[in-house]
Amino acid sequence: MSVCLASVPIVTLRLAELTPDNVQAACGIEVKPEQRRFVAPVAESLAEAYVHYGTAWPRLILDDDRVVGFVMGNFDPDNEIDAFRAGIWRLSIAAGEQGREYGRFAVEAIGAEARRRGQKRITVLWLQGDGGPEGFYLRLGFTPTGEVMGGEIVGELIL
């Protein structure tokens, strides 16, 4: 019996470091207009990564070579604030690319990097509201810790 693999789509999702060649594409990522109040623009995230060099972990999300999103983790195991020891600082999936599991992939990649660094959980902070990311994070298994920081809910995912 032979199997024809031509009809099986091969998805090659990966994270890529930011470089001079792709930083402009990163800054061009825009979420849906109704989501803008929930996530900072990528350029602002890159500025934060610059000043938090050594702990910030910014990455492009690529499908083959197509830029579909941006994720920034933070890994600072000695941070005095528990919620900032390992987690997601930013996640932006381009408006036209949402609903294709790219966000799930990015969260799983942050979790894998955290495990590689010896962490047993990751955190994320989110604002509540219509069009916000709360449902997305809850569906992925994050649970609210009961903490609120700067008006944002702190969620955790045990790895």
Side-chain angles (χ1 to χ4, degrees):
M1 176 177 168
S2 68
V3 177
C4 177
L5 296 178
S7 63
V8 178
I10 297 174
V11 178
T12 54
L13 298 180
R14 63 188 171 94
L15 297 184
E17 291 188 40
L18 279 102
T19 68
D21 293 330
N22 65 23
V23 71
Q24 200 165 19
C27 290
I29 296 168
E30 291 191 28
V31 297
K32 295 177 181 178
E34 64 271 19
Q35 296 170 331
R36 289 183 188 145
R37 71 183 189 100
F38 297 103
V39 64
V42 173
E44 183 178 323
S45 298
L46 293 177
E48 288 182 8
Y50 178 81
V51 299
H52 292 282
Y53 182 81
T55 66
W57 198 72
R59 297 292 189 267
L60 283 177
I61 305 164
L62 301 176
D63 187 347
D64 287 325
D65 288 326
R66 196 173 84 253
V67 174
V68 298
F70 172 83
V71 65
M72 186 162 74
N74 184 63
F75 302 100
D76 185 4
D78 299 323
N79 196 302
E80 64 185 41
I81 300 171
D82 190 46
F84 294 154
R85 292 184 184 150
I88 300 167
W89 270 5
R90 296 287 193 287
L91 177 57
S92 299
I93 304 299
E97 303 291 352
Q98 294 180 15
R100 298 181 182 157
E101 301 292 316
Y102 298 135
R104 174 184 294 277
F105 167 78
V107 169
E108 290 173 355
I110 295 288
E113 181 65 17
R115 279 191 301 277
R116 189 186 74 74
R117 294 171 181 241
Q119 300 298 310
K120 304 223 181 299
R121 79 172 193 148
I122 57 174
T123 58
V124 67
L125 282 70
W126 66 77
L127 283 172
Q128 291 182 306
D130 290 338
E134 182 174 50
F136 167 77
Y137 288 119
L138 294 176
R139 283 190 300 278
L140 291 182
F142 283 88
T143 57
T145 64
E147 267 185 284
V148 177
M149 297 178 66
E152 295 182 302
I153 306 296
V154 178
E156 69 178 352
L157 178 66
I158 305 303
L159 303 174

PDB file of all heavy atoms in Angstrom, residues 67-90:
ATOM      1  N   VAL A  67       6.547  36.133   7.987  1.00  0.00           N
ATOM      2  CA  VAL A  67       6.384  36.671   9.337  1.00  0.00           C
ATOM      3  C   VAL A  67       4.897  36.722   9.654  1.00  0.00           C
ATOM      4  O   VAL A  67       4.123  37.356   8.937  1.00  0.00           O
ATOM      5  CB  VAL A  67       7.006  38.082   9.448  1.00  0.00           C
ATOM      6  CG1 VAL A  67       6.705  38.690  10.807  1.00  0.00           C
ATOM      7  CG2 VAL A  67       8.501  38.020   9.197  1.00  0.00           C
ATOM      8  N   VAL A  68       4.501  36.021  10.733  1.00  0.00           N
ATOM      9  CA  VAL A  68       3.089  35.981  11.110  1.00  0.00           C
ATOM     10  C   VAL A  68       2.826  36.556  12.498  1.00  0.00           C
ATOM     11  O   VAL A  68       1.680  36.790  12.872  1.00  0.00           O
ATOM     12  CB  VAL A  68       2.513  34.545  11.020  1.00  0.00           C
ATOM     13  CG1 VAL A  68       2.585  34.035   9.576  1.00  0.00           C
ATOM     14  CG2 VAL A  68       3.226  33.597  11.976  1.00  0.00           C
ATOM     15  N   GLY A  69       3.893  36.796  13.266  1.00  0.00           N
ATOM     16  CA  GLY A  69       3.686  37.326  14.602  1.00  0.00           C
ATOM     17  C   GLY A  69       4.991  37.586  15.329  1.00  0.00           C
ATOM     18  O   GLY A  69       6.091  37.408  14.787  1.00  0.00           O
ATOM     19  N   PHE A  70       4.812  38.015  16.571  1.00  0.00           N
ATOM     20  CA  PHE A  70       5.930  38.379  17.435  1.00  0.00           C
ATOM     21  C   PHE A  70       5.610  37.903  18.843  1.00  0.00           C
ATOM     22  O   PHE A  70       4.472  38.025  19.307  1.00  0.00           O
ATOM     23  CB  PHE A  70       6.093  39.912  17.430  1.00  0.00           C
ATOM     24  CG  PHE A  70       7.084  40.419  18.436  1.00  0.00           C
ATOM     25  CD1 PHE A  70       8.440  40.421  18.147  1.00  0.00           C
ATOM     26  CD2 PHE A  70       6.664  40.907  19.661  1.00  0.00           C
ATOM     27  CE1 PHE A  70       9.365  40.898  19.077  1.00  0.00           C
ATOM     28  CE2 PHE A  70       7.574  41.395  20.592  1.00  0.00           C
ATOM     29  CZ  PHE A  70       8.920  41.386  20.292  1.00  0.00           C
ATOM     30  N   VAL A  71       6.609  37.364  19.519  1.00  0.00           N
ATOM     31  CA  VAL A  71       6.452  36.974  20.915  1.00  0.00           C
ATOM     32  C   VAL A  71       7.711  37.414  21.664  1.00  0.00           C
ATOM     33  O   VAL A  71       8.816  37.387  21.106  1.00  0.00           O
ATOM     34  CB  VAL A  71       6.215  35.450  21.075  1.00  0.00           C
ATOM     35  CG1 VAL A  71       7.420  34.629  20.622  1.00  0.00           C
ATOM     36  CG2 VAL A  71       5.809  35.101  22.497  1.00  0.00           C
ATOM     37  N   MET A  72       7.510  37.871  22.879  1.00  0.00           N
ATOM     38  CA  MET A  72       8.659  38.207  23.705  1.00  0.00           C
ATOM     39  C   MET A  72       8.481  37.570  25.070  1.00  0.00           C
ATOM     40  O   MET A  72       7.527  37.860  25.783  1.00  0.00           O
ATOM     41  CB  MET A  72       8.835  39.720  23.855  1.00  0.00           C
ATOM     42  CG  MET A  72      10.118  40.074  24.609  1.00  0.00           C
ATOM     43  SD  MET A  72      10.662  41.781  24.396  1.00  0.00           S
ATOM     44  CE  MET A  72       9.489  42.659  25.414  1.00  0.00           C
ATOM     45  N   GLY A  73       9.403  36.696  25.379  1.00  0.00           N
ATOM     46  CA  GLY A  73       9.446  36.106  26.703  1.00  0.00           C
ATOM     47  C   GLY A  73      10.399  36.896  27.571  1.00  0.00           C
ATOM     48  O   GLY A  73      11.148  37.763  27.095  1.00  0.00           O
ATOM     49  N   ASN A  74      10.358  36.599  28.852  1.00  0.00           N
ATOM     50  CA  ASN A  74      11.315  37.168  29.792  1.00  0.00           C
ATOM     51  C   ASN A  74      11.751  36.047  30.717  1.00  0.00           C
ATOM     52  O   ASN A  74      10.917  35.309  31.241  1.00  0.00           O
ATOM     53  CB  ASN A  74      10.687  38.298  30.610  1.00  0.00           C
ATOM     54  CG  ASN A  74      11.709  38.944  31.513  1.00  0.00           C
ATOM     55  OD1 ASN A  74      12.680  39.515  31.047  1.00  0.00           O
ATOM     56  ND2 ASN A  74      11.505  38.844  32.812  1.00  0.00           N
ATOM     57  N   PHE A  75      13.048  35.927  30.871  1.00  0.00           N
ATOM     58  CA  PHE A  75      13.599  34.884  31.727  1.00  0.00           C
ATOM     59  C   PHE A  75      14.571  35.535  32.701  1.00  0.00           C
ATOM     60  O   PHE A  75      15.684  35.879  32.344  1.00  0.00           O
ATOM     61  CB  PHE A  75      14.268  33.798  30.880  1.00  0.00           C
ATOM     62  CG  PHE A  75      13.324  33.173  29.903  1.00  0.00           C
ATOM     63  CD1 PHE A  75      13.323  33.551  28.572  1.00  0.00           C
ATOM     64  CD2 PHE A  75      12.394  32.243  30.325  1.00  0.00           C
ATOM     65  CE1 PHE A  75      12.425  32.991  27.676  1.00  0.00           C
ATOM     66  CE2 PHE A  75      11.486  31.680  29.436  1.00  0.00           C
ATOM     67  CZ  PHE A  75      11.507  32.061  28.107  1.00  0.00           C
ATOM     68  N   ASP A  76      14.114  35.717  33.926  1.00  0.00           N
ATOM     69  CA  ASP A  76      14.881  36.404  34.961  1.00  0.00           C
ATOM     70  C   ASP A  76      14.620  35.674  36.280  1.00  0.00           C
ATOM     71  O   ASP A  76      13.873  36.146  37.130  1.00  0.00           O
ATOM     72  CB  ASP A  76      14.421  37.862  35.026  1.00  0.00           C
ATOM     73  CG  ASP A  76      15.248  38.699  35.982  1.00  0.00           C
ATOM     74  OD1 ASP A  76      16.237  38.183  36.549  1.00  0.00           O
ATOM     75  OD2 ASP A  76      14.891  39.882  36.165  1.00  0.00           O
ATOM     76  N   PRO A  77      15.228  34.486  36.462  1.00  0.00           N
ATOM     77  CA  PRO A  77      14.893  33.632  37.607  1.00  0.00           C
ATOM     78  C   PRO A  77      15.146  34.255  38.974  1.00  0.00           C
ATOM     79  O   PRO A  77      14.581  33.801  39.965  1.00  0.00           O
ATOM     80  CB  PRO A  77      15.767  32.394  37.402  1.00  0.00           C
ATOM     81  CG  PRO A  77      16.844  32.808  36.477  1.00  0.00           C
ATOM     82  CD  PRO A  77      16.283  33.919  35.631  1.00  0.00           C
ATOM     83  N   ASP A  78      15.941  35.309  39.038  1.00  0.00           N
ATOM     84  CA  ASP A  78      16.229  35.947  40.320  1.00  0.00           C
ATOM     85  C   ASP A  78      15.386  37.198  40.563  1.00  0.00           C
ATOM     86  O   ASP A  78      15.599  37.893  41.561  1.00  0.00           O
ATOM     87  CB  ASP A  78      17.721  36.304  40.400  1.00  0.00           C
ATOM     88  CG  ASP A  78      18.600  35.073  40.311  1.00  0.00           C
ATOM     89  OD1 ASP A  78      18.206  34.020  40.879  1.00  0.00           O
ATOM     90  OD2 ASP A  78      19.654  35.141  39.657  1.00  0.00           O
ATOM     91  N   ASN A  79      14.441  37.473  39.679  1.00  0.00           N
ATOM     92  CA  ASN A  79      13.618  38.676  39.838  1.00  0.00           C
ATOM     93  C   ASN A  79      12.850  38.608  41.147  1.00  0.00           C
ATOM     94  O   ASN A  79      12.311  37.563  41.506  1.00  0.00           O
ATOM     95  CB  ASN A  79      12.647  38.820  38.661  1.00  0.00           C
ATOM     96  CG  ASN A  79      12.068  40.208  38.567  1.00  0.00           C
ATOM     97  OD1 ASN A  79      11.446  40.709  39.499  1.00  0.00           O
ATOM     98  ND2 ASN A  79      12.264  40.825  37.425  1.00  0.00           N
ATOM     99  N   GLU A  80      12.793  39.709  41.864  1.00  0.00           N
ATOM    100  CA  GLU A  80      12.083  39.740  43.145  1.00  0.00           C
ATOM    101  C   GLU A  80      10.575  39.598  42.968  1.00  0.00           C
ATOM    102  O   GLU A  80       9.879  39.203  43.891  1.00  0.00           O
ATOM    103  CB  GLU A  80      12.407  41.021  43.909  1.00  0.00           C
ATOM    104  CG  GLU A  80      11.939  42.286  43.216  1.00  0.00           C
ATOM    105  CD  GLU A  80      12.381  43.553  43.930  1.00  0.00           C
ATOM    106  OE1 GLU A  80      13.519  43.621  44.389  1.00  0.00           O
ATOM    107  OE2 GLU A  80      11.554  44.474  44.008  1.00  0.00           O
ATOM    108  N   ILE A  81      10.078  39.883  41.761  1.00  0.00           N
ATOM    109  CA  ILE A  81       8.653  39.707  41.473  1.00  0.00           C
ATOM    110  C   ILE A  81       8.470  38.348  40.812  1.00  0.00           C
ATOM    111  O   ILE A  81       8.958  38.106  39.711  1.00  0.00           O
ATOM    112  CB  ILE A  81       8.123  40.838  40.572  1.00  0.00           C
ATOM    113  CG1 ILE A  81       8.323  42.192  41.268  1.00  0.00           C
ATOM    114  CG2 ILE A  81       6.652  40.608  40.226  1.00  0.00           C
ATOM    115  CD1 ILE A  81       8.035  43.391  40.392  1.00  0.00           C
ATOM    116  N   ASP A  82       7.789  37.467  41.487  1.00  0.00           N
ATOM    117  CA  ASP A  82       7.607  36.091  41.031  1.00  0.00           C
ATOM    118  C   ASP A  82       7.055  36.016  39.610  1.00  0.00           C
ATOM    119  O   ASP A  82       7.478  35.194  38.808  1.00  0.00           O
ATOM    120  CB  ASP A  82       6.690  35.358  42.019  1.00  0.00           C
ATOM    121  CG  ASP A  82       6.641  33.872  41.777  1.00  0.00           C
ATOM    122  OD1 ASP A  82       7.713  33.261  41.587  1.00  0.00           O
ATOM    123  OD2 ASP A  82       5.522  33.320  41.761  1.00  0.00           O
ATOM    124  N   ALA A  83       6.122  36.895  39.278  1.00  0.00           N
ATOM    125  CA  ALA A  83       5.477  36.865  37.964  1.00  0.00           C
ATOM    126  C   ALA A  83       6.430  37.217  36.825  1.00  0.00           C
ATOM    127  O   ALA A  83       6.112  36.972  35.664  1.00  0.00           O
ATOM    128  CB  ALA A  83       4.276  37.809  37.949  1.00  0.00           C
ATOM    129  N   PHE A  84       7.603  37.781  37.141  1.00  0.00           N
ATOM    130  CA  PHE A  84       8.546  38.181  36.099  1.00  0.00           C
ATOM    131  C   PHE A  84       9.743  37.246  35.977  1.00  0.00           C
ATOM    132  O   PHE A  84      10.704  37.556  35.289  1.00  0.00           O
ATOM    133  CB  PHE A  84       9.029  39.614  36.346  1.00  0.00           C
ATOM    134  CG  PHE A  84       7.958  40.649  36.219  1.00  0.00           C
ATOM    135  CD1 PHE A  84       8.075  41.846  36.894  1.00  0.00           C
ATOM    136  CD2 PHE A  84       6.829  40.453  35.450  1.00  0.00           C
ATOM    137  CE1 PHE A  84       7.095  42.826  36.795  1.00  0.00           C
ATOM    138  CE2 PHE A  84       5.843  41.405  35.338  1.00  0.00           C
ATOM    139  CZ  PHE A  84       5.978  42.606  36.017  1.00  0.00           C
ATOM    140  N   ARG A  85       9.682  36.092  36.614  1.00  0.00           N
ATOM    141  CA  ARG A  85      10.830  35.174  36.565  1.00  0.00           C
ATOM    142  C   ARG A  85      10.899  34.387  35.258  1.00  0.00           C
ATOM    143  O   ARG A  85      11.992  34.108  34.762  1.00  0.00           O
ATOM    144  CB  ARG A  85      10.784  34.233  37.762  1.00  0.00           C
ATOM    145  CG  ARG A  85      11.042  35.002  39.045  1.00  0.00           C
ATOM    146  CD  ARG A  85      11.101  34.124  40.249  1.00  0.00           C
ATOM    147  NE  ARG A  85      11.257  34.984  41.431  1.00  0.00           N
ATOM    148  CZ  ARG A  85      10.804  34.685  42.619  1.00  0.00           C
ATOM    149  NH1 ARG A  85      10.197  33.519  42.816  1.00  0.00           N
ATOM    150  NH2 ARG A  85      10.964  35.519  43.616  1.00  0.00           N
ATOM    151  N   ALA A  86       9.759  34.005  34.713  1.00  0.00           N
ATOM    152  CA  ALA A  86       9.713  33.307  33.421  1.00  0.00           C
ATOM    153  C   ALA A  86       8.313  33.482  32.856  1.00  0.00           C
ATOM    154  O   ALA A  86       7.338  33.100  33.502  1.00  0.00           O
ATOM    155  CB  ALA A  86      10.025  31.826  33.579  1.00  0.00           C
ATOM    156  N   GLY A  87       8.222  34.068  31.689  1.00  0.00           N
ATOM    157  CA  GLY A  87       6.887  34.236  31.138  1.00  0.00           C
ATOM    158  C   GLY A  87       6.843  34.997  29.838  1.00  0.00           C
ATOM    159  O   GLY A  87       7.861  35.293  29.222  1.00  0.00           O
ATOM    160  N   ILE A  88       5.624  35.295  29.450  1.00  0.00           N
ATOM    161  CA  ILE A  88       5.336  35.989  28.201  1.00  0.00           C
ATOM    162  C   ILE A  88       5.110  37.454  28.516  1.00  0.00           C
ATOM    163  O   ILE A  88       4.223  37.798  29.297  1.00  0.00           O
ATOM    164  CB  ILE A  88       4.077  35.389  27.532  1.00  0.00           C
ATOM    165  CG1 ILE A  88       4.309  33.908  27.234  1.00  0.00           C
ATOM    166  CG2 ILE A  88       3.729  36.168  26.265  1.00  0.00           C
ATOM    167  CD1 ILE A  88       3.051  33.155  26.880  1.00  0.00           C
ATOM    168  N   TRP A  89       5.903  38.303  27.887  1.00  0.00           N
ATOM    169  CA  TRP A  89       5.707  39.742  28.032  1.00  0.00           C
ATOM    170  C   TRP A  89       4.838  40.285  26.906  1.00  0.00           C
ATOM    171  O   TRP A  89       4.061  41.203  27.117  1.00  0.00           O
ATOM    172  CB  TRP A  89       7.045  40.460  28.024  1.00  0.00           C
ATOM    173  CG  TRP A  89       7.654  40.625  29.380  1.00  0.00           C
ATOM    174  CD1 TRP A  89       7.188  40.119  30.558  1.00  0.00           C
ATOM    175  CD2 TRP A  89       8.833  41.345  29.693  1.00  0.00           C
ATOM    176  NE1 TRP A  89       8.013  40.475  31.580  1.00  0.00           N
ATOM    177  CE2 TRP A  89       9.040  41.239  31.080  1.00  0.00           C
ATOM    178  CE3 TRP A  89       9.743  42.071  28.935  1.00  0.00           C
ATOM    179  CZ2 TRP A  89      10.112  41.829  31.723  1.00  0.00           C
ATOM    180  CZ3 TRP A  89      10.819  42.657  29.583  1.00  0.00           C
ATOM    181  CH2 TRP A  89      10.990  42.540  30.957  1.00  0.00           C
ATOM    182  N   ARG A  90       4.990  39.751  25.699  1.00  0.00           N
ATOM    183  CA  ARG A  90       4.213  40.230  24.559  1.00  0.00           C
ATOM    184  C   ARG A  90       3.891  39.068  23.640  1.00  0.00           C
ATOM    185  O   ARG A  90       4.696  38.166  23.457  1.00  0.00           O
ATOM    186  CB  ARG A  90       4.993  41.248  23.725  1.00  0.00           C
ATOM    187  CG  ARG A  90       5.341  42.526  24.410  1.00  0.00           C
ATOM    188  CD  ARG A  90       4.123  43.434  24.584  1.00  0.00           C
ATOM    189  NE  ARG A  90       4.495  44.767  24.973  1.00  0.00           N
ATOM    190  CZ  ARG A  90       4.931  45.122  26.179  1.00  0.00           C
ATOM    191  NH1 ARG A  90       5.070  44.209  27.108  1.00  0.00           N
ATOM    192  NH2 ARG A  90       5.231  46.371  26.442  1.00  0.00           N
TER     193      ARG A  90
END
